[in-house]
Amino acid sequence: MGSPHQEARDEVQPEEVTEDGEIEVPWERLDIYGFFPGIWETIKRAMLRPAAFFQAMPVGSGQIKPLIFYLLVAEFQIVLQMLWDMTGVTSGMTGEGEAMGISAVMLLVGYPIILTMLLYVMAVLVHACLNMVGGATRGFEGTFRALTYGSAPMVLTLVPFVGPLVGAIWSLVVTFLGYKYIHRTTTAKVILAMLLPLIPFILLLAIVMSMAQRSGAPVF
């Protein structure tokens, strides 16, 4: 039986493997794949073959292309949600011109800036937790790539109502696999690293509930 890395390489065509034996990310090779085929093939691989995709993920090519991929998926998601809201398929924003003007500015300028800031905060936090449990073996960029390419399932917002929820759960699973296979670490370490940021909130909630019970006030 071959190694996991070898099995991952076996799932792709020979021309998709780099000289170092790593599987190329189509989005990062638009000179070969083109824009739309490149982003679509990357989304498919991340969603349908995440173990192979992340096991052979090249690390060291920078953060710009993964960041742009993440922002494009996020923009696609918010545009679809706005479309469903405007057409009345789902409840949400109205179609008033002023509201749409504000939304357009936020979509093109504010939203990407806010998303980028939140993404880096999350990446730093998760990477710090992975370091704490000894699960970060390939540096910050590895964690960053897991987060960005792990967002691929959010394109399921294309399906009204259930799409965003299914996409969010699927994205969480894909990102989890990204941490595990990019960093070559264990499932237990990844789970612990993902739970660590929740511990302060759990402790705070426990303290509040305890104080409420002692005072006789209703907890909820």
Side-chain angles (χ1 to χ4, degrees):
M1 181 179 295
S3 66
H5 200 161
Q6 180 64 46
E7 291 174 2
R9 294 201 302 267
D10 290 343
E11 293 188 24
V12 297
Q13 299 300 317
E15 62 270 16
E16 297 173 344
V17 181
T18 68
E19 294 179 356
D20 297 327
E22 294 181 314
I23 300 175
E24 293 178 341
V25 179
W27 167 249
E28 297 185 24
R29 291 306 308 271
L30 299 185
D31 56 322
I32 297 176
Y33 293 90
F35 183 84
F36 290 108
I39 194 169
W40 174 239
E41 184 64 25
T42 301
I43 289 171
K44 286 198 303 180
R45 291 187 191 183
M47 290 180 65
L48 304 179
R49 295 183 292 167
F53 180 71
F54 288 116
Q55 174 72 33
M57 169 71 69
V59 175
S61 302
Q63 302 169 21
I64 298 300
K65 291 180 180 178
L67 173 61
I68 294 174
F69 175 88
Y70 174 83
L71 292 176
L72 287 174
V73 171
E75 292 284 341
F76 179 76
Q77 177 189 359
I78 191 62
V79 167
L80 281 175
Q81 190 59 57
M82 290 171 61
L83 177 63
W84 298 145
D85 290 343
M86 285 188 298
T87 56
V89 175
T90 60
S91 59
M93 295 181 301
T94 64
E96 297 178 2
E98 182 179 355
M100 285 305 300
I102 296 174
S103 298
V105 172
M106 282 298 297
L107 180 64
L108 296 175
V109 181
Y111 194 60
I113 293 175
I114 294 171
L115 275 177
T116 300
M117 294 174 60
L118 292 176
L119 173 65
Y120 272 96
V121 169
M122 178 62 69
V124 169
L125 180 61
V126 173
H127 189 68
C129 292
L130 283 169
N131 266 320
M132 289 176 61
V133 300
T137 63
R138 301 185 75 189
F140 175 78
E141 185 183 324
T143 303
F144 187 79
R145 283 173 170 269
L147 268 172
T148 51
Y149 288 115
S151 68
M154 292 311 299
V155 297
L156 291 177
T157 306
L158 185 64
V159 182
F161 302 108
V162 299
L165 177 60
V166 173
I169 296 173
W170 199 333
S171 180
L172 181 63
V173 173
V174 171
T175 304
F176 169 86
L177 293 173
Y179 296 144
K180 177 180 178 180
Y181 285 103
I182 288 179
H183 286 297
R184 275 69 159 159
T185 188
T186 64
T187 298
K189 287 182 178 180
V190 175
I191 291 175
L192 183 57
M194 295 179 73
L195 290 178
L196 277 176
L198 300 178
I199 292 178
F201 298 101
I202 295 174
L203 291 176
L204 179 61
L205 179 61
I207 293 173
V208 170
M209 292 179 64
S210 177
M211 293 177 62
Q213 289 176 347
R214 289 181 180 179
S215 65
V219 177
F220 297 104

